Amino acid sequence: MLTTTPVELYLGAAGYCTHPEFLTLRGGRLRPVPFPAGFACIIHPVYGPILLDTGYSSRFFKETAHLPNALYRHITPVVYREEDSAVHFLAGLGLKASDIRYIILSHFHGDHIAGVRDFPEAQFIYLPRAYDAVRSLGSIAAVKAGYLSGLLPEDFAARSLPVTRQPKRWMRAGRSSLLMKSTISLAMAVCWGWMYPVMRKA
């Protein structure tokens, strides 16, 4: 079904990491290339500004200052400036960190969650299996999985709104269906038939 709710969408990138292109793209080159830590801000007329992921933040460097987490920074070197932050990006839209009520986390890699502590009033929407896949990992296994638990706030569980049911219908955009089976995609943010029951609990 098509949504009739008008939303605004702004795309940004909070830093980037570099590693050999072939590791993520079939037929890619051997030399390192930049991979932007993208995020999106969705302005909804009812729920207000919503973030999809957060990109990197300066906290990433604090969390990777010592072993074993330092392996993360050395394997995938990160380039980040404070003016690249999601908070700075939002300021350009006239928004403050406190304006963000919800953050949709597609998954829990460092380049997606490093900025969540910058939004102390936001609640977190994610698929439980995405968090379950990393939450109990040991230190070395977590680094291999690209997960740094210290990036999440201490009250993460209390502020979580995990999505526990599947949408009854798929939203159709143009000629292609946006299927949301294994992760929370950008489509989830505008597929309010799925999101509304979650947000209504907040």
Side-chain angles (χ1 to χ4, degrees):
M1 71 181 193
L2 287 173
T3 178
T4 58
T5 304
V7 296
E8 297 176 44
L9 173 65
Y10 300 91
L11 302 178
Y16 62 91
C17 67
T18 60
H19 56 90
E21 186 180 51
F22 79 91
L23 292 177
T24 55
L25 298 176
R26 182 176 298 177
R29 296 164 289 182
L30 292 174
R31 70 181 182 85
V33 295
F35 289 85
F39 64 90
C41 179
I42 304 153
I43 311 293
H44 190 274
V46 176
Y47 300 111
I50 301 165
L51 279 185
L52 174 65
D53 294 328
T54 66
Y56 287 113
S57 76
S58 58
R59 187 169 185 86
F60 174 84
F61 299 100
K62 297 177 183 177
E63 290 297 318
T64 56
H66 306 287
L67 290 172
N69 289 358
L71 295 173
Y72 190 144
R73 191 198 302 191
H74 292 296
I75 293 171
T76 55
V78 170
V79 177
Y80 170 83
R81 303 170 304 167
E82 201 58 47
E83 55 265 36
D84 296 331
S85 71
V87 170
H88 191 272
F89 178 88
L90 292 173
L93 301 178
L95 298 171
K96 303 184 298 294
S98 58
D99 293 328
I100 303 299
R101 294 176 55 196
Y102 303 102
I103 299 177
I104 301 170
L105 298 175
S106 62
H107 58 287
F108 288 80
H109 284 168
D111 57 328
H112 292 254
I113 67 170
V116 295
R117 285 179 179 261
D118 293 335
F119 303 92
E121 298 180 33
Q123 292 183 283
F124 306 109
I125 299 171
Y126 57 88
L127 291 177
R129 62 188 172 198
Y131 187 38
D132 291 343
V134 297
R135 64 187 302 180
S136 299
L137 294 177
S139 56
I140 298 297
V143 171
K144 290 176 64 177
Y147 172 62
L148 302 170
S149 61
L151 295 175
L152 297 178
E154 288 77 8
D155 60 350
F156 178 76
R159 292 162 57 192
S160 289
L161 295 171
V163 177
T164 56
R165 74 180 186 92
Q166 294 295 318
K168 293 181 179 180
R169 299 181 182 179
W170 302 112
M171 188 188 79
R172 184 171 294 276
R175 297 181 179 180
S176 61
S177 295
L178 300 176
L179 300 180
M180 300 166 288
K181 292 184 178 179
S182 61
T183 189
I184 300 178
S185 68
L186 179 57
M188 177 181 170
V190 291
C191 187
W192 298 113
W194 191 8
M195 293 285 286
Y196 177 70
V198 176
M199 291 179 165
R200 187 172 52 180
K201 297 177 184 177

